[in-house]
Amino acid sequence: MNVPHPHRKDHLDALAVGILLVCCMFWGFQQVLVKTTVTLIPPVFMSAVRGVGASLLLLLWCQWRGIRLFERDGSLWGGLLVGSLFAAEFAFIYIGLQHTSASRLTVFLYTSPFWVAALVPLFIRSERLRPAQWAGMACAFAAVVFALRDGLSEGAATGDWMGLAAGALWGLTTVTIRAKNLTRIPAEKLLFYQIALSAGLLLVLSYLMGESWSGHWSPFALGSVAIQAVLGAFASYLAWMWMLGRYPATQISAFVFMTPLFALLFGMLWLGETVTLTLLLSLVLVAVGIVLVNRK
């Protein structure tokens, strides 16, 4: 089946901005959700189960849409690399959440746009950032650090380093997708490489780590994993793959700086904490940074 190359745009339109805001809001919520579930289900096993569920949903989606996942199109080796990076990223995220708070890990995870901004232009010259756009990236990241300055001042714990590693792996995944021109294949197939391969690799890792596969499958735990699979690994990541094929990777990656702030906000709401002036000021700084990055 010949898949037409999607029409790429040189800036984010209203549709892209809306999708990105919804995704960032959900990802912020998901970090808090996972943090509350790792006490019930072993982290790597939970991530693997999430991947299995999302893979089954994606297979049904592709069957309904008539999208072929297993034909030869020259994407195999690039897809296997992307899937391996994806698996490693989520192993670090889920294990890291055992060692630190959701908001604290998330600020390190969302250093990924710096990897994208620094490395994508080496392969895609048209996506090179101008000085003003780099200033926007710095502004957005400084806002996140400002919002979490109390936690960051405590030093880099095990969870912090895992968050940094996960952020680098996410950035490298995006860079690989663009460098290997994997956006030429359907977004569904690109996502399938990631969630299906990661599900298998994470199951193996869970077994090697000696995790218990029983866990405490309470209604909350079941609902949590279902949300992670359906809305997280399937719906939101499929939207992300779709956007990578149509919009500049550097610009859409800048939006992920909103996620740590949503994670902090949902953490406060979940724990009954007060939304501080620091958070509100940080939201303003993030908005300024995003505007600078997306200026033509």
Side-chain angles (χ1 to χ4, degrees):
M1 180 177 68
N2 294 321
V3 179
H5 195 283
H7 173 67
R8 294 194 62 82
K9 300 183 179 182
D10 59 2
H11 65 281
L12 302 182
D13 54 23
L15 175 63
V17 171
I19 293 174
L20 284 167
L21 285 175
V22 171
C23 285
C24 288
M25 185 179 297
F26 173 77
W27 292 336
F29 169 75
Q30 182 175 243
Q31 297 295 81
V32 178
L33 182 63
V34 172
K35 174 66 178 178
T36 60
T37 313
V38 292
T39 59
L40 304 174
I41 305 173
V44 177
F45 179 61
M46 176 167 58
S47 185
V49 172
R50 180 194 78 144
V52 171
S55 297
L56 293 175
L57 286 172
L58 187 57
L59 284 171
L60 292 173
W61 170 268
C62 291
Q63 181 68 27
W64 178 58
R65 296 285 307 277
I67 297 170
R68 300 178 184 177
L69 295 175
F70 303 104
E71 65 177 1
R72 294 184 178 181
D73 55 12
S75 66
L76 178 62
W77 293 110
L80 292 177
L81 175 58
V82 164
S84 299
L85 291 169
F86 188 84
E89 174 197 343
F90 279 90
F92 278 115
I93 291 173
Y94 277 64
I95 296 173
L97 283 169
Q98 287 187 312
H99 300 281
T100 188
S101 66
S103 56
R104 186 171 168 84
L105 180 137
T106 306
V107 69
F108 292 106
L109 171 62
Y110 285 87
T111 57
S112 62
F114 286 94
W115 293 90
V116 176
L119 296 178
V120 165
L122 297 177
F123 304 96
I124 314 295
R125 294 183 63 87
S126 62
E127 294 198 24
R128 182 171 297 173
L129 295 182
R130 299 185 300 275
Q133 292 175 305
W134 275 110
M137 295 281 285
C139 181
F141 185 70
V144 173
V145 174
F146 179 58
L148 300 170
R149 67 188 189 282
D150 294 334
L152 292 172
S153 65
E154 298 174 2
T158 300
D160 301 337
W161 287 108
M162 288 188 170
L164 280 171
L169 288 162
W170 184 7
L172 290 173
T173 300
T174 302
V175 170
T176 302
I177 289 171
R178 297 291 287 116
K180 296 292 186 181
N181 194 26
L182 293 178
T183 55
R184 73 183 188 279
I185 65 177
E188 289 85 352
K189 183 169 185 177
L190 180 54
L191 179 59
F192 188 75
Y193 273 125
Q194 296 172 77
I195 59 176
L197 183 59
S198 68
L201 291 176
L202 290 170
L203 280 174
V204 172
L205 178 60
S206 175
Y207 175 79
L208 294 176
M209 292 175 61
E211 289 186 341
S212 170
W213 288 11
S214 56
H216 181 59
W217 289 94
S218 64
F220 171 79
L222 286 169
S224 172
V225 175
I227 290 172
Q228 294 173 51
V230 177
L231 299 181
F234 173 62
S236 70
Y237 295 159
L238 182 57
W240 180 262
M241 294 302 110
W242 179 83
M243 286 187 292
L244 279 178
R246 288 161 176 79
Y247 301 96
T250 48
Q251 292 186 24
I252 65 174
S253 292
F255 260 83
V256 302
F257 282 116
M258 293 292 292
T259 302
L261 300 176
F262 282 122
L264 181 58
L265 177 61
F266 284 121
M268 289 178 173
L269 293 174
W270 199 304
L271 298 174
E273 299 175 357
T274 304
V275 177
T276 64
L277 178 61
T278 297
L279 176 62
L280 297 177
L281 291 175
S282 298
L283 287 170
V284 172
L285 284 174
V286 168
V288 171
I290 290 174
V291 168
L292 287 174
V293 170
N294 288 283
R295 290 184 64 183
K296 295 183 182 180

Coordinates of all heavy atoms in Angstrom, one line a residue, residues 229-273:
A229 N -3.5 3.1 29.3 CA -3.5 2.4 28.0 C -4.3 3.1 27.0 O -3.8 3.3 25.9 CB -3.9 0.9 28.2
V230 N -5.5 3.4 27.3 CA -6.5 3.9 26.4 C -6.2 5.4 26.0 O -6.0 5.7 24.8 CB -7.9 3.8 26.9 CG1 -8.9 4.4 25.9 CG2 -8.3 2.3 27.1
L231 N -6.1 6.2 27.0 CA -5.9 7.7 26.8 C -4.4 8.0 26.6 O -4.1 8.9 25.9 CB -6.5 8.5 27.9 CG -8.0 8.3 28.1 CD1 -8.5 9.3 29.2 CD2 -8.8 8.7 26.8
G232 N -3.6 7.3 27.3 CA -2.1 7.6 27.3 C -1.4 6.9 26.1 O -1.2 7.6 25.1
A233 N -1.1 5.6 26.2 CA -0.3 5.0 25.2 C -1.0 4.9 23.8 O -0.3 4.8 22.8 CB 0.1 3.6 25.7
F234 N -2.3 4.9 23.8 CA -3.0 4.8 22.5 C -3.4 6.1 22.0 O -2.8 6.6 21.0 CB -4.3 3.9 22.7 CG -5.1 3.9 21.4 CD1 -4.6 3.4 20.2 CD2 -6.4 4.4 21.5 CE1 -5.4 3.4 19.1 CE2 -7.2 4.4 20.3 CZ -6.7 3.8 19.1
A235 N -4.3 6.8 22.6 CA -4.9 8.0 22.0 C -3.9 9.2 22.0 O -3.7 9.8 20.9 CB -6.1 8.4 22.8
S236 N -3.3 9.5 23.1 CA -2.4 10.7 23.1 C -1.1 10.5 22.3 O -0.7 11.4 21.6 CB -2.1 11.1 24.6 OG -1.2 10.2 25.2
Y237 N -0.6 9.3 22.4 CA 0.7 9.1 21.6 C 0.4 9.0 20.1 O 1.2 9.3 19.3 CB 1.4 7.8 22.1 CG 1.8 7.9 23.5 CD1 2.1 6.8 24.3 CD2 2.0 9.2 24.1 CE1 2.5 6.9 25.6 CE2 2.4 9.3 25.5 CZ 2.7 8.1 26.2 OH 3.1 8.3 27.5
L238 N -0.8 8.5 19.7 CA -1.1 8.4 18.3 C -1.3 9.9 17.8 O -0.8 10.2 16.7 CB -2.5 7.7 18.1 CG -2.9 7.5 16.7 CD1 -1.9 6.8 15.8 CD2 -4.3 6.7 16.6
A239 N -1.9 10.8 18.6 CA -2.0 12.2 18.2 C -0.6 12.8 18.1 O -0.3 13.6 17.2 CB -2.8 12.9 19.3
W240 N 0.3 12.4 19.0 CA 1.7 12.9 19.0 C 2.4 12.5 17.7 O 3.1 13.3 17.0 CB 2.5 12.5 20.2 CG 3.9 12.9 20.3 CD1 5.0 12.2 19.9 CD2 4.4 14.2 20.7 NE1 6.1 12.9 20.1 CE2 5.8 14.1 20.6 CE3 3.8 15.3 21.2 CZ2 6.6 15.2 21.0 CZ3 4.6 16.4 21.6 CH2 6.0 16.3 21.4
M241 N 2.3 11.2 17.3 CA 2.9 10.7 16.1 C 2.3 11.4 14.9 O 3.1 11.7 13.9 CB 2.7 9.2 16.0 CG 3.3 8.3 17.0 SD 5.1 8.5 17.1 CE 5.3 9.3 18.7
W242 N 1.0 11.6 14.9 CA 0.4 12.3 13.8 C 0.9 13.7 13.6 O 1.2 14.1 12.5 CB -1.1 12.4 14.0 CG -1.9 13.0 13.0 CD1 -2.3 12.5 11.8 CD2 -2.3 14.4 13.0 NE1 -3.0 13.5 11.0 CE2 -3.0 14.6 11.7 CE3 -2.2 15.5 13.9 CZ2 -3.6 15.9 11.4 CZ3 -2.8 16.7 13.6 CH2 -3.5 16.9 12.4
M243 N 1.2 14.4 14.7 CA 1.7 15.8 14.6 C 3.1 15.8 14.2 O 3.6 16.7 13.5 CB 1.5 16.5 16.0 CG 0.0 16.9 16.3 SD -0.1 17.9 17.7 CE 0.3 16.7 19.0
L244 N 3.9 14.8 14.6 CA 5.3 14.8 14.2 C 5.4 14.7 12.7 O 6.4 15.1 12.1 CB 6.0 13.6 14.8 CG 6.5 13.7 16.3 CD1 7.2 12.5 16.8 CD2 7.5 14.9 16.4
G245 N 4.5 14.1 12.0 CA 4.5 14.0 10.6 C 4.0 15.2 9.9 O 4.1 15.3 8.6
R246 N 3.5 16.2 10.6 CA 2.9 17.4 9.9 C 3.4 18.7 10.4 O 3.2 19.7 9.7 CB 1.4 17.3 10.1 CG 0.7 16.2 9.3 CD -0.7 15.8 9.8 NE -1.3 14.9 8.9 CZ -1.0 13.6 8.9 NH1 -0.1 13.1 9.8 NH2 -1.5 12.7 8.0
Y247 N 4.1 18.8 11.6 CA 4.5 20.0 12.1 C 6.0 19.9 12.5 O 6.5 18.8 12.8 CB 3.7 20.4 13.4 CG 2.2 20.6 13.1 CD1 1.3 19.5 13.3 CD2 1.7 21.7 12.5 CE1 0.0 19.6 13.0 CE2 0.3 21.9 12.3 CZ -0.5 20.8 12.5 OH -1.9 21.0 12.3
P248 N 6.7 21.1 12.6 CA 8.1 21.1 13.0 C 8.3 20.4 14.4 O 7.6 20.9 15.4 CB 8.5 22.5 13.0 CG 7.5 23.2 12.1 CD 6.2 22.4 12.3
A249 N 9.2 19.5 14.5 CA 9.4 18.8 15.8 C 9.9 19.7 16.8 O 9.5 19.6 18.0 CB 10.4 17.6 15.5
T250 N 10.7 20.7 16.5 CA 11.2 21.6 17.5 C 10.1 22.4 18.1 O 10.1 22.7 19.3 CB 12.3 22.5 16.9 OG1 11.8 23.1 15.7 CG2 13.6 21.7 16.6
Q251 N 9.1 22.8 17.3 CA 8.1 23.7 17.8 C 7.1 22.9 18.7 O 6.6 23.4 19.7 CB 7.3 24.4 16.7 CG 8.2 25.4 15.9 CD 7.4 26.1 14.9 OE1 6.2 26.2 14.9 NE2 8.1 26.7 13.9
I252 N 6.7 21.7 18.2 CA 5.8 20.9 19.0 C 6.4 20.4 20.3 O 5.8 20.3 21.4 CB 5.1 19.8 18.3 CG1 6.2 18.7 17.9 CG2 4.4 20.2 17.1 CD1 5.5 17.5 17.3
S253 N 7.7 20.2 20.3 CA 8.4 19.7 21.5 C 8.5 20.8 22.6 O 8.5 20.5 23.8 CB 9.8 19.3 21.2 OG 9.8 18.1 20.4
A254 N 8.5 22.1 22.1 CA 8.5 23.2 23.1 C 7.3 23.2 24.0 O 7.3 23.6 25.1 CB 8.7 24.5 22.4
F255 N 6.2 22.7 23.4 CA 4.9 22.7 24.2 C 4.9 21.8 25.4 O 4.2 21.9 26.3 CB 3.7 22.4 23.3 CG 3.0 23.6 22.8 CD1 3.4 24.3 21.8 CD2 1.8 24.0 23.5 CE1 2.7 25.4 21.3 CE2 1.1 25.1 23.1 CZ 1.6 25.8 22.0
V256 N 5.8 20.8 25.4 CA 5.8 19.8 26.5 C 6.2 20.4 27.8 O 6.0 19.8 28.8 CB 6.7 18.6 26.2 CG1 6.3 17.9 24.9 CG2 8.2 18.9 26.1
F257 N 6.8 21.7 27.8 CA 7.1 22.3 29.0 C 5.9 22.6 29.8 O 6.0 22.9 31.0 CB 7.9 23.6 28.7 CG 9.3 23.4 28.4 CD1 9.8 23.8 27.1 CD2 10.2 22.9 29.3 CE1 11.1 23.6 26.8 CE2 11.5 22.7 29.0 CZ 12.0 23.1 27.7
M258 N 4.7 22.6 29.2 CA 3.5 22.8 30.0 C 3.2 21.6 30.9 O 2.6 21.7 31.9 CB 2.3 23.0 29.0 CG 2.3 24.2 28.2 SD 2.1 25.7 29.2 CE 0.4 25.5 29.7
T259 N 3.6 20.4 30.5 CA 3.3 19.2 31.2 C 3.8 19.2 32.7 O 3.0 18.8 33.6 CB 3.8 17.9 30.5 OG1 3.2 17.9 29.2 CG2 3.4 16.7 31.2
P260 N 5.0 19.6 33.0 CA 5.4 19.6 34.4 C 4.6 20.5 35.3 O 4.3 20.2 36.5 CB 6.9 20.1 34.4 CG 7.3 19.7 33.0 CD 6.2 19.9 32.1
L261 N 4.1 21.6 34.7 CA 3.3 22.5 35.5 C 1.9 21.9 35.7 O 1.3 22.0 36.8 CB 3.2 23.8 34.8 CG 4.5 24.5 34.6 CD1 4.4 25.8 33.8 CD2 5.2 24.8 35.9
F262 N 1.4 21.2 34.7 CA 0.1 20.4 34.9 C 0.3 19.3 36.0 O -0.6 19.1 36.8 CB -0.4 19.9 33.6 CG -1.1 20.9 32.7 CD1 -0.6 21.1 31.4 CD2 -2.2 21.6 33.2 CE1 -1.3 22.0 30.6 CE2 -2.8 22.5 32.3 CZ -2.4 22.7 31.1
A263 N 1.5 18.7 35.9 CA 1.7 17.6 36.9 C 1.8 18.2 38.3 O 1.2 17.6 39.3 CB 3.1 16.9 36.6
L264 N 2.4 19.4 38.4 CA 2.4 20.0 39.7 C 1.0 20.4 40.2 O 0.6 20.3 41.3 CB 3.3 21.3 39.7 CG 3.5 22.1 41.0 CD1 4.0 21.2 42.1 CD2 4.4 23.2 40.7
L265 N 0.2 21.0 39.2 CA -1.1 21.4 39.6 C -2.0 20.2 40.0 O -2.7 20.3 41.0 CB -1.7 22.1 38.3 CG -3.2 22.6 38.5 CD1 -3.4 23.6 39.6 CD2 -3.7 23.1 37.1
F266 N -2.0 19.1 39.2 CA -2.8 18.0 39.6 C -2.3 17.3 40.9 O -3.1 16.8 41.7 CB -2.8 16.9 38.4 CG -3.6 17.3 37.3 CD1 -3.1 17.4 36.0 CD2 -5.0 17.5 37.4 CE1 -3.9 17.8 34.9 CE2 -5.8 17.9 36.3 CZ -5.2 18.0 35.1
G267 N -1.0 17.4 41.1 CA -0.5 16.9 42.4 C -1.0 17.7 43.5 O -1.4 17.1 44.6
M268 N -1.1 19.0 43.4 CA -1.7 19.8 44.4 C -3.1 19.5 44.6 O -3.6 19.4 45.8 CB -1.5 21.3 44.1 CG -0.1 21.8 44.2 SD 0.1 23.5 43.6 CE 1.8 23.9 44.1
L269 N -3.9 19.4 43.5 CA -5.3 19.1 43.7 C -5.5 17.7 44.3 O -6.4 17.5 45.1 CB -6.0 19.2 42.3 CG -6.0 20.5 41.6 CD1 -6.6 20.5 40.2 CD2 -6.9 21.5 42.5
W270 N -4.7 16.7 43.9 CA -4.9 15.4 44.4 C -4.6 15.3 45.9 O -5.2 14.6 46.6 CB -4.0 14.4 43.6 CG -4.3 13.0 43.7 CD1 -4.5 12.2 44.8 CD2 -4.6 12.1 42.6 NE1 -4.8 10.9 44.5 CE2 -4.9 10.8 43.1 CE3 -4.5 12.3 41.2 CZ2 -5.1 9.7 42.3 CZ3 -4.8 11.2 40.4 CH2 -5.1 9.9 41.0
L271 N -3.5 16.1 46.3 CA -3.1 16.0 47.7 C -3.7 17.1 48.5 O -3.4 17.3 49.7 CB -1.6 16.2 47.7 CG -0.8 15.1 47.0 CD1 0.7 15.4 47.0 CD2 -1.0 13.7 47.7
G272 N -4.6 18.0 47.9 CA -5.2 19.0 48.6 C -4.3 20.2 49.0 O -4.7 21.0 49.9
E273 N -3.3 20.4 48.2 CA -2.3 21.5 48.5 C -2.8 22.8 47.8 O -3.7 22.7 46.9 CB -0.9 21.1 48.0 CG -0.4 19.9 48.7 CD 1.0 19.5 48.1 OE1 1.4 20.1 47.1 OE2 1.6 18.5 48.7

